[in-house]
Amino acid sequence: MFQPVKKAFGEYMGRYYAGIAPTTKSLNEFIARGLPKCVVWAPSRMVDVVEDMLAAWQREDVDNTPTNPVDMPIIIIAVAEDYVPSGRDYTRQISEEVFFTFPDDAKERMFKLQAIAGDIRAQVVFAAHDEPTAKSLASQFLLFIDSAPNRRFDAQYTFAGFVDMWPVQIESTDAPAMAIKTDAKNLTVLAVDLTLKVSTPLFKAPAENEPNDGKGTPGDPLDPFGYPVVDQVDFDAKKINKQTTVT
């Protein structure tokens, strides 16, 4: 359900990576290395396993060559396992089902929608052999998220063959880059904690045993039936002409 948020956050980090300025010698190599070898995902637990993650990165055979000293700098990102509903002072959830249609749906089907509003904790860790490089990466990231267009991004959800974009907002852009102590020598690790304010839709179509409008394709989740709706009311005849058996 929250995988689109994780995917969107990865793309968001790609946009940050594309704008990094090479302020140190190490960053010249970092930029030339390419995004897949510079920004990696970690398990949900982060700071307490950063050395394990760096060791795993060193073992990763990304170039089909014998193991060499780990490429540095490196950015490791993670999304926490826990989940907290967003406060009512910030937004509200759509907890009761509401009917809706997609404006571009030629079949004019009626579906149901609920919307979850939650806080998801994310962490971005910058690791480098030298302090100036780690600080440069962290400070440029905080500059990136402080830009008004970068304070939010969209997660993509697909239902009934339609793509729907839902917002993800960064709660605060003034998060510090905290130093993380490790036993490794000549290693600077800085961590930035973020809270992502997420709106997540729950789209619903009739189950197989429920009344429907007959406008979908049986057994095809990409082309579901809609809920039955009143088609026409004939007041003179004092009856309802209906598309289905619903009155």
Side-chain angles (χ1 to χ4, degrees):
M1 184 171 65
F2 294 109
Q3 282 301 110
V5 175
K6 187 174 179 179
K7 180 177 183 293
F9 187 52
E11 294 171 349
Y12 179 82
M13 291 300 300
R15 295 202 301 273
Y16 152 69
Y17 174 82
I20 293 174
T23 59
T24 68
K25 182 179 179 180
S26 296
L27 284 179
N28 282 294
E29 183 279 330
F30 181 75
I31 293 170
R33 198 190 312 160
L35 178 64
K37 301 177 184 179
C38 293
V39 182
V40 297
W41 281 100
S44 298
R45 291 190 311 125
M46 186 57 182
V47 167
D48 54 346
V49 294
V50 66
E51 289 189 84
D52 292 340
M53 285 304 304
L54 290 173
W57 170 246
Q58 186 171 13
R59 293 191 301 268
E60 184 72 16
D61 188 13
V62 294
D63 292 318
N64 296 316
T65 60
T67 302
N68 295 312
V70 62
D71 288 329
M72 286 287 179
I74 187 69
I75 299 174
I76 306 174
I77 57 178
V79 173
E81 293 178 344
D82 56 11
Y83 166 80
V84 178
S86 295
R88 293 294 181 90
D89 58 337
Y90 181 82
T91 186
R92 73 179 185 90
Q93 303 186 119
I94 303 177
S95 54
E96 300 192 10
E97 295 175 342
V98 296
F99 287 102
F100 81 99
T101 60
F102 287 105
D104 298 329
D105 187 2
K107 298 181 179 181
E108 299 181 336
R109 290 166 293 183
M110 185 74 68
F111 301 113
K112 290 181 180 179
L113 170 72
Q114 292 174 291
I116 295 173
D119 295 355
I120 295 180
R121 295 186 300 115
Q123 188 174 77
V124 183
V125 167
F126 307 90
H129 286 312
D130 60 292
E131 179 182 318
T133 295
K135 280 188 174 179
S136 179
L137 286 172
S139 61
Q140 289 190 59
F141 176 70
L142 293 174
L143 180 67
F144 174 79
I145 67 175
D146 192 52
S147 173
N150 297 327
R151 294 179 185 177
R152 55 173 288 168
F153 53 92
D154 290 329
Q156 177 179 301
Y157 297 84
T158 302
F159 180 75
F162 294 93
V163 173
D164 212 25
M165 309 301 288
W166 285 67
V168 179
Q169 184 168 337
I170 296 175
E171 181 180 51
S172 176
T173 60
D174 58 358
M178 302 298 293
I180 306 302
K181 300 301 181 182
T182 71
D183 293 331
K185 296 180 180 179
N186 300 322
L187 181 64
T188 300
V189 179
L190 302 177
V192 175
D193 292 313
L194 301 173
T195 297
L196 306 180
K197 297 287 189 179
V198 176
S199 295
T200 303
L202 294 177
F203 299 115
K204 297 183 180 180
E208 292 184 3
N209 60 347
E210 289 186 282
N212 62 71
D213 59 8
K215 295 180 180 180
T217 302
D220 185 358
L222 297 179
D223 188 27
F225 295 106
Y227 289 95
V229 296
V230 174
D231 181 54
Q232 181 180 352
V233 177
D234 189 336
F235 291 100
D236 294 331
K238 297 183 180 181
K239 69 177 183 179
I240 298 176
N241 296 326
K242 48 192 179 297
Q243 210 168 23
T244 67
T245 57
V246 172
T247 60

